Amino acid sequence: MNELGLGGWLARRRLRAPDKLALVFDGGAWTYTDFADTAERVSALLAAHGIRKGDTVAYVGENSPHLLAVLFGTVQLGAVFVPVNTRLAPPEIAYVLTDSAARLVVHDPEFDDRLAAIFSGGEAPTTIRTGAGTGNAPGLTTLLASKEPLPASTVMQRDDPAAIIYTSGTTGKPKGAVLTHQNLTFVSLNCVIDYDVVSTDVALMISPLFHVASLGMGALPLILKGGTLVLEKGFEPGRALELIERHSITMLSGVPTTYQLMADHPHWHDADLSSLQKLTCGGSAVPTRILNAYEDRGLSFAQGYGMTETSPGGTTLPPTMSRVKQGSVGLPQFFTDVRVADENGSPLPTGEVGEVQIAGPNVFAGYLNLPEATAEAFTPDGWFRSGDLGYLDDDGYLYIADRLKDMIISGGENIYPAEVENLISDIDGVTGVAVIGVPDDKWGESPWAVLTVRDGAEADTDAVRAHLDGKLARYKIPKNVVVVDELPRTASGKVRKADLRARFGASV
């Protein structure tokens, strides 16, 4: 059998279950036959535009069946898919398209102006709008209707690139993480095994597919198993609750904020959640109040840890251990290894904090066009250096202390913000928290807490400090608490702490 990588998935799904519902979206649905046929028409269209193995095809748009069809149509040719964060400003989109050397860009009409601003001054790649388009400028739907399907035939090696996903860029410019066919296959296998994904699962996709977690740990595992994806362009808690009931959703993924907003919605207590079986949560540990809210409805979470460079899986904490190992991000995923090492790369004993390092077939090939950054990202013996601090317990469960670069050093003492944030997040009314280091003439740095709170709730420095008193060493308790309307976040939901340090550090 020829090795087609991801390019062979849809044809094999079509062969096994041609009439099985694959994608449900606003206004329609595709079977696996529809899905595979459309992806093969995309391949034919791309080939007609000169796209060949190794070329890059970018997509700028919200969740839709055509995003996934372009993904598979691209990899079926051996080309490389580049999903672009739709929240980026024109200069940021321009950087991604230029850095990835995109030969062709498929985009939603809503991004006409941003792309026009990018391409107004020079040579531009071929662009195709989604939708029907116009007579003079036919869109993707119209163009595909005139193409005969082009089945996958390009032989791929496991280490051939399949996608380039740009990191969040919390510091400096984003880097293009090159994910291979092997990376995306094994992260999918890890999820199928660790989350017990089955062909009867129906997953609600409320997170953007340009984000690696939604794509690599949401969409692809379900497609691999032949499940059904319900695609949403965005997240609105009331609508999400309604869709769970309407489509008998069995799987849902999100970040703690997602789940908190759903639990805070007026229809939470009367929403029919009886179909839900599997909830996964990443980004940060699930606060106790959210665990309580969902357990009251008979639901519990699988939690996890990873990053773009690991496609993004690293560890999984199963629902059965959410209380026993509360605060942990779990065990290494099935085909993945995790260790905690000192600055010399030597594994540390149980309980000692060091850098979390990851190895396995899901670990990326490297950063596009950045050989020095790629070399720095790996240890001499080939482990990926996460830049996160953590420790392993006696049972092998991983606990994240914090990002190495976010660690606060106050009076010579190390403070790991995640430890403080987890406790503050349990305060009633707090909806978001970030603890940062702010310059301090006496201590070098002092911890500050930046919060968002629910309407009608209040939180101040005295209340937060009182809540933490006796739970943390005094030097770890924030010196000041600031309430803001919104925390700056990346598309994946991570707080941009560099923005907060720049804002509040400069005001001291």
Side-chain angles (χ1 to χ4, degrees), residues 271-400:
D272 183 358
L273 307 179
S274 59
S275 62
L276 278 179
Q277 301 169 12
K278 301 158 191 174
L279 303 178
T280 61
C281 188
S284 60
V286 179
T288 301
R289 71 178 187 279
I290 299 179
L291 287 176
N292 292 340
Y294 281 78
E295 287 177 358
D296 287 345
R297 297 298 311 269
L299 300 167
S300 55
F301 293 92
Q303 301 175 56
Y305 161 78
M307 57 205 67
T308 304
E309 292 87 344
T310 59
S311 308
T315 66
T316 298
L317 182 71
T320 54
M321 303 301 287
S322 61
R323 288 291 188 178
V324 179
K325 297 290 186 180
Q326 188 171 353
S328 169
V329 293
L331 297 170
Q333 289 203 295
F334 194 83
F335 290 109
T336 303
D337 295 311
V338 174
R339 72 183 186 187
V340 174
D342 63 17
E343 62 273 12
N344 299 315
S346 300
L348 288 169
T350 296
E352 289 196 24
V353 173
E355 184 181 40
V356 179
Q357 298 177 353
I358 304 170
N362 57 303
V363 176
F364 79 142
Y367 296 114
L368 184 68
N369 303 324
L370 296 171
E372 292 184 2
T374 298
E376 291 173 359
F378 289 91
T379 64
D381 56 346
W383 290 68
F384 172 66
R385 302 187 60 203
S386 72
D388 288 337
L389 296 169
Y391 64 92
L392 297 170
D393 71 8
D394 291 336
D395 299 317
Y397 284 78
L398 178 66
Y399 292 75
I400 299 299

Side-chain angles (χ1 to χ4, degrees), residues 389 402-409 413-417 437 445 501:
L389 296 169
D402 224 308
R403 288 291 298 173
L404 190 59
K405 64 177 177 294
D406 288 336
M407 184 177 70
I408 301 166
I409 303 177
E413 297 282 0
N414 293 345
I415 302 172
Y416 304 122
E445 285 184 301
R501 284 191 290 266

Side-chain angles (χ1 to χ4, degrees), residues 91 423 429 489:
L423 290 172
R489 295 182 183 272

Side-chain angles (χ1 to χ4, degrees), residues 12-280:
R12 291 173 180 141
R13 276 277 138 241
R14 177 176 56 195
L15 181 64
R16 284 160 175 76
D19 299 323
K20 176 70 185 299
L21 204 58
L23 307 176
V24 177
F25 49 94
D26 189 18
W30 286 359
T31 64
Y32 272 99
T33 294
D34 299 326
F35 192 4
D37 288 353
T38 304
E40 290 176 357
R41 292 179 190 275
V42 170
S43 291
L45 177 62
L46 297 178
H49 282 283
I51 300 300
R52 300 292 183 265
K53 183 176 182 178
D55 290 337
T56 48
V57 175
Y59 193 100
V60 187
E62 307 296 348
N63 289 359
S64 76
H66 281 111
L67 184 155
L68 291 170
V70 172
L71 161 63
F72 280 97
T74 297
V75 298
Q76 285 169 183
L77 290 174
V80 184
F81 182 66
V82 184
V84 181
N85 184 338
T86 59
R87 300 171 186 174
L88 299 180
E92 295 171 310
I93 295 176
Y95 174 80
V96 170
L97 298 180
T98 301
D99 188 65
S100 64
R103 289 280 311 279
L104 186 146
V105 181
V106 180
H107 67 94
D108 288 348
E110 293 86 342
F111 301 95
D112 284 349
D113 291 344
R114 271 186 264 183
L115 292 174
I118 291 169
F119 299 139
S120 62
E123 185 176 348
T126 301
T127 58
I128 298 174
R129 299 171 79 195
T130 58
T134 64
N136 294 329
L140 181 64
T141 305
T142 302
L143 292 171
L144 293 181
S146 65
K147 295 296 179 183
E148 289 297 320
L150 178 63
S153 61
T154 304
V155 176
M156 306 300 299
Q157 303 299 316
R158 291 186 177 184
D159 58 357
D160 282 335
I164 302 170
I165 311 287
Y166 279 77
T167 60
S168 300
T170 51
T171 58
K173 289 186 178 298
K175 299 188 287 289
V178 179
L179 304 183
T180 67
H181 286 261
Q182 173 175 266
N183 295 156
L184 293 175
T185 297
F186 272 91
V187 76
S188 299
L189 289 171
N190 276 341
C191 291
V192 166
I193 294 168
D194 290 337
Y195 298 139
D196 293 328
V197 179
V198 294
S199 62
T200 54
D201 275 323
V202 181
L204 178 59
M205 305 303 299
I206 53 177
S207 299
L209 287 166
F210 58 70
H211 177 52
V212 69
S214 186
L215 183 64
M217 300 185 74
L220 291 182
L222 263 291
I223 293 168
L224 181 63
K225 280 296 292 184
T228 301
L229 299 173
V230 178
L231 302 175
E232 274 286 282
K233 289 188 175 182
F235 170 66
E236 194 284 312
R239 178 168 169 80
L241 292 171
E242 188 270 326
L243 288 173
I244 290 169
E245 179 176 353
R246 186 198 307 176
H247 296 292
S248 297
I249 298 299
T250 65
M251 294 188 68
L252 183 65
S253 299
V255 296
T257 302
T258 305
Y259 290 110
Q260 181 64 56
L261 290 171
M262 290 174 62
D264 287 342
H265 194 272
H267 294 311
W268 167 251
H269 292 288
D270 57 21
D272 183 358
L273 307 179
S274 59
S275 62
L276 278 179
Q277 301 169 12
K278 301 158 191 174
L279 303 178
T280 61

